[in-house]
Amino acid sequence: MCGIVGYIGNKQALPILVQGLRDLEYRGYDSAGISILEDGKLQRVRAVGKIDNLVSKLKDQNYPGTLGISHTRWATHGGVTEENAHPHFALDGKIAIVHNGIIENYRELKKKLEKKVKFISQTDSEVLAHLIGSHYKGSLADAVRQALAEVRGTYGLLAVHTDHPDQIIAARLGSPLVIGVAEGEYFIASDVTPMLAYTKQVTFLDDGEVAEISRENVRISNLKDELITKGITQIDWDQAKAQKGGYEHFMLKEIMEQPTVFEDAIRGRINMEEGTAVLGGLNISEDQMRELKRIMIISGGTAYYAGLVGKYAFERLAQIPCEVDFSSEFRYRDPICDKKTLVYAVSQSGETADTIMAVREAKRKGAHVRGIINVVGSTIAREIGAGSYIHAGPEMAVASTKAYTNMVALLLLNAIQLGRLKHVTQATGKRMLESLLQIPAKMNEILKQADEIKAIAKKYAQYKNFFFLGRGVNYPVALEGSLKLKEISYIHSEGYAGGEMKHGPLALVSEEFPVVAILTRNQLYEKMKSNIQEARARGARTLIIATEGDIEAAEVADDIIFVPKTMELLEPLLNTIPLQLFAYYIAVELGRDVDRPRNLAKSVTVE
Ligand code: F6R
């Protein structure tokens, strides 16, 4: 949510910034704006709504300037208006800033500043602009440092000044900024996507750092102006990976990518001979792992459902009690965790504010913390400094799909590794790993049925309510299937454990309330079948996910999708995929904005 793109170099900034904003669209936004330094004057154009609206406003402008900043805003303080969109000006348009994050003490600061300046917007960001203006005495970097010293809250910030045509100031606290390095030019953005076309060499700004970026170099310091030396990281994502690759939507592309990125997730992490997983980047010795008394998984949304799958694996394989908690709850509930607890923070973006805070809480209590993260160099990844990247590549659709499967893959590998240090035999470990290696081919079997699933989805698109049911390891699959449907189609749906229906929800079931159920051949097959029968007896139409060749499942199905057989603990890796496709095709049928559903953002950087 909210995206920043800045450019300083020898090329025309405008097209780079506009394309950069488009590359960040997946983060979610509701207005956009741009400011270019042009003949000693800052030009500014802002528009509410899609970037296309900004582009049409820019139609008659062709600012040739080679320095500029831009922003996509996801409203937090003040409504969705042009005045509230960034960039914000100070000192009568001499200073322009773009800002992500929240200035918590903006009211007090505004009160002080109001005596001297007139505020045009309702935003906390404009307060920051004027605060910088109030400190300006010839050095923009000093003014930024002094202003930030007064600020309580979070920021990813770019600032420019008409008297400094060769400089962009960037600063970060809690909201990511990356600097892309090329010959005589620098790109600054909320993540690497906008710079991939130009460079793969980047420097990640860390919290508390201020960068003074000119066309020749970058000087990084802290708020006290003490110099900081930083390295350059080589990014291996290519631009094609960050684009739609011929699919109608990012979401469909990302669903289809699952077999490939799953291979990326497990590659090099399997020791078949020992029947165990090889996971680098650990912050805990094998002895400490053997002594663990508790595992906790903290995350939100889809990552939380991946975590729930992890719980089954950790308890069954490692026989360590495992709790899964929403990060937003964990951080406030005084969780019981100590040095015998291993906490997994699971996050696609690595920037989810709740999970960042939960990680800090877990660390404070002395727990071992490991990340299961997609975005390389993201805040959580760097704060933890231990764990595994899931290697799902850039996930552009707001609704998470391939990141989910790869999170489950990494949790399973971690569970196998812990299990092997306890009672899991080499043979069992080996069997699980062999099954994992077969998963990509089995995923492909499901993906080949996309057209059939599309036809089924059409039949269900007009219903207003859905139940998703599963038991055991497929209970989280039901929850995830339900979330996918509601977030992209806006249809009401509820995920339930099959056995819970009779304790209340069954009252809702009718012909108007279809049931999607996961009925694969595992130890709970008969129990699940009974639960489906209970719903059918009350008139519900049923869509069943069943194991290939299971004719018996058809007895309780109005519609059926078959998935290949795998080991029970691995079933979520397959069973989730038809539900992703089902949700996708319903949303398409209803004409929804699949990749950018209303009210949602990709990276949830506010509490
Ligand atoms: C749903 C979805 C969200 C995220 C959640 C956590 O499709 O994408 O529920 O899973 O916001 O985000 P990350 O994984 O970035 O921490």
Side-chain angles (χ1 to χ4, degrees):
M1 75 185 46
C2 292
I4 284 180
V5 186
Y7 175 78
I8 177 167
N10 305 311
K11 299 192 183 90
Q12 187 190 4
L14 184 62
I16 294 172
L17 297 180
V18 170
Q19 184 53 46
L21 292 181
R22 289 195 193 281
D23 291 337
L24 292 181
E25 271 194 300
Y26 70 94
R27 298 167 71 89
Y29 68 101
D30 42 41
S31 56
I34 217 158
S35 192
I36 307 267
L37 187 58
E38 193 74 40
D39 294 333
K41 198 170 176 298
L42 280 165
Q43 303 292 348
R44 175 174 67 176
V45 180
R46 298 178 292 177
V48 163
K50 299 282 179 206
I51 289 164
D52 284 343
N53 300 352
L54 178 71
V55 170
S56 16
K57 283 181 108 177
L58 282 161
K59 205 165 54 168
D60 303 323
Q61 315 292 348
N62 189 31
Y63 305 124
T66 56
L67 180 156
I69 58 176
S70 61
H71 190 264
T72 45
R73 173 175 187 257
W74 192 77
T76 55
H77 290 71
V80 183
T81 63
E82 195 174 313
E83 288 72 34
N84 288 339
H86 300 215
H88 289 290
F89 276 173
L91 298 185
D92 299 321
K94 278 179 157 305
I95 286 178
I97 72 153
V98 289
H99 164 237
N100 287 353
I102 289 175
I103 306 301
E104 287 170 10
N105 58 337
Y106 81 101
R107 279 197 193 82
E108 319 153 22
L109 294 169
K110 191 170 183 177
K111 230 180 208 166
K112 276 201 257 165
L113 291 164
E114 248 162 3
K115 291 172 196 142
K116 292 193 195 135
V117 294
K118 192 171 163 342
F119 284 90
I120 293 157
S121 80
Q122 302 150 309
T123 64
D124 51 335
S125 303
E126 193 191 7
V127 175
L128 181 57
H130 286 299
L131 188 64
I132 294 169
S134 74
H135 283 287
Y136 182 76
K137 297 198 179 57
S139 160
L140 181 60
D142 286 346
V144 167
R145 273 189 283 265
Q146 286 157 18
L148 293 180
E150 282 189 58
V151 155
R152 216 174 49 240
T154 54
Y155 49 79
L157 168 78
L158 297 187
V160 291
H161 191 300
T162 50
D163 292 349
H164 302 272
D166 189 32
Q167 190 179 56
I168 295 180
I169 306 295
R172 163 193 170 138
L173 187 73
S175 192
L177 277 183
V178 191
I179 303 171
V181 183
E183 190 62 40
E185 57 184 354
Y186 290 94
F187 306 81
I188 313 103
S190 305
D191 68 38
V192 297
T193 328
M195 54 194 75
L196 287 175
Y198 310 97
T199 181
K200 304 252 163 50
Q201 314 267 329
V202 304
T203 296
F204 293 102
L205 272 195
D206 279 302
D207 279 351
E209 290 178 350
V210 178
E212 295 160 56
I213 306 159
S214 73
R215 287 178 177 79
E216 286 78 41
N217 54 45
V218 179
R219 176 184 184 275
I220 298 178
S221 61
N222 60 18
L223 287 189
K224 291 186 195 142
D225 200 14
E226 292 160 341
L227 211 60
I228 296 169
T229 314
K230 307 223 19 160
I232 286 182
T233 306
Q234 177 81 20
I235 295 294
D236 65 359
W237 288 4
D238 59 26
Q239 217 205 359
K241 270 193 187 167
Q243 292 169 351
K244 278 188 211 163
Y247 288 101
E248 198 186 336
H249 297 101
F250 279 116
M251 184 175 173
L252 184 58
K253 170 179 174 267
E254 287 158 10
I255 291 172
M256 295 296 178
E257 277 174 353
Q258 286 175 108
T260 315
V261 298
F262 181 85
E263 280 172 350
D264 294 341
I266 60 172
R267 184 173 299 122
R269 288 169 165 169
I270 284 178
N271 179 343
M272 195 55 87
E273 205 171 322
E274 300 290 332
T276 192
V278 187
L279 297 162
L282 306 184
N283 56 348
I284 175 171
S285 70
E286 289 197 346
D287 277 343
Q288 285 171 316
M289 282 200 255
R290 277 185 210 96
E291 281 166 19
L292 288 171
K293 291 277 174 281
R294 186 194 288 260
I295 291 173
M296 294 177 119
I297 303 176
I298 48 177
S299 46
T302 287
Y304 171 81
Y305 297 141
L308 282 182
V309 176
K311 174 185 167 74
Y312 288 86
F314 283 118
E315 295 195 337
R316 207 172 293 174
L317 299 175
Q319 300 212 326
I320 303 172
C322 176
E323 249 181 273
V324 189
D325 208 351
F326 296 117
S327 305
S328 53
E329 289 297 313
F330 177 94
R331 59 177 291 205
Y332 290 114
R333 77 171 162 93
D334 197 11
I336 300 167
C337 62
D338 56 21
K339 60 182 191 330
K340 298 226 164 141
T341 308
L342 177 53
V343 174
Y344 287 95
V346 185
S347 175
Q348 187 286 128
S349 62
E351 301 294 346
T352 303
D354 289 323
T355 305
I356 295 173
M357 298 315 289
V359 162
R360 290 181 188 156
E361 190 64 21
K363 280 182 155 181
R364 201 170 291 130
K365 303 210 158 192
H368 300 278
V369 187
R370 277 189 199 172
I372 306 248
I373 308 288
N374 191 34
V375 178
V376 176
S378 56
T379 304
I380 300 175
R382 285 178 301 125
E383 281 208 12
I384 297 176
S388 314
Y389 286 118
I390 62 170
H391 299 317
E395 195 178 60
M396 311 299 256
V398 164
S400 186
T401 52
K402 60 177 180 167
Y404 164 86
T405 9
N406 277 18
M407 286 167 183
V408 172
L410 259 299
L411 288 164
L412 286 167
L413 287 175
N414 274 267
I416 293 170
Q417 183 198 39
L418 276 176
R420 286 288 288 123
L421 293 175
K422 299 219 147 193
H423 70 103
V424 170
T425 62
Q426 188 184 8
T428 305
K430 216 172 155 182
R431 223 176 38 251
M432 287 207 68
L433 294 170
E434 277 163 1
S435 298
L436 271 180
L437 289 174
Q438 291 163 7
I439 288 291
K442 294 183 177 180
M443 285 175 163
N444 274 320
E445 289 301 306
I446 301 169
L447 294 170
K448 276 191 216 147
Q449 301 175 59
D451 285 344
E452 286 90 319
I453 297 173
K454 184 177 181 179
I456 293 174
K458 271 193 174 176
K459 294 197 257 174
Y460 285 79
Q462 300 314 322
Y463 285 98
K464 300 280 178 276
N465 302 285
F466 279 83
F467 270 124
F468 281 73
L469 306 184
R471 292 188 79 129
V473 82
N474 286 309
Y475 165 49
V477 173
L479 294 174
E480 172 59 6
S482 170
L483 177 64
K484 281 292 87 84
L485 182 68
K486 70 173 75 123
E487 69 183 323
I488 60 167
S489 72
Y490 320 147
I491 295 174
H492 167 241
S493 90
E494 304 206 24
Y496 263 96
E500 271 301 290
M501 288 298 282
K502 57 186 174 292
H503 297 298
L506 207 52
L508 289 172
V509 169
S510 71
E511 304 82 55
E512 297 305 313
F513 213 131
V515 167
V516 180
I518 301 114
L519 179 66
T520 36
R521 280 278 174 183
N522 58 35
Q523 53 174 325
L524 291 166
Y525 180 81
E526 291 303 336
K527 304 273 173 218
M528 189 64 225
K529 204 165 163 210
S530 308
N531 298 143
I532 297 167
Q533 264 152 350
E534 284 154 17
R536 274 171 77 82
R538 274 122 192 122
R541 178 173 186 158
T542 54
L543 167 58
I544 304 297
I545 310 299
T547 306
E548 232 161 37
D550 182 10
I551 317 286
E552 204 187 312
E555 286 169 14
V556 291
D558 290 300
D559 295 282
I560 194 158
I561 302 169
F562 287 110
V563 294
K565 174 101 188 106
T566 186
M567 289 178 86
E568 187 173 328
L569 278 176
L570 274 48
E571 283 188 14
L573 293 167
L574 300 180
N575 296 354
T576 311
I577 295 177
L579 303 185
Q580 295 169 343
L581 285 168
F582 180 69
Y584 170 77
Y585 285 120
I586 286 193
V588 170
E589 178 69 18
L590 296 176
R592 306 296 190 226
D593 191 350
V594 176
D595 284 337
R596 289 185 297 278
R598 69 184 183 199
N599 306 340
L600 298 179
K602 184 68 183 162
S603 186
V604 189
T605 51
V606 292
E607 227 192 294

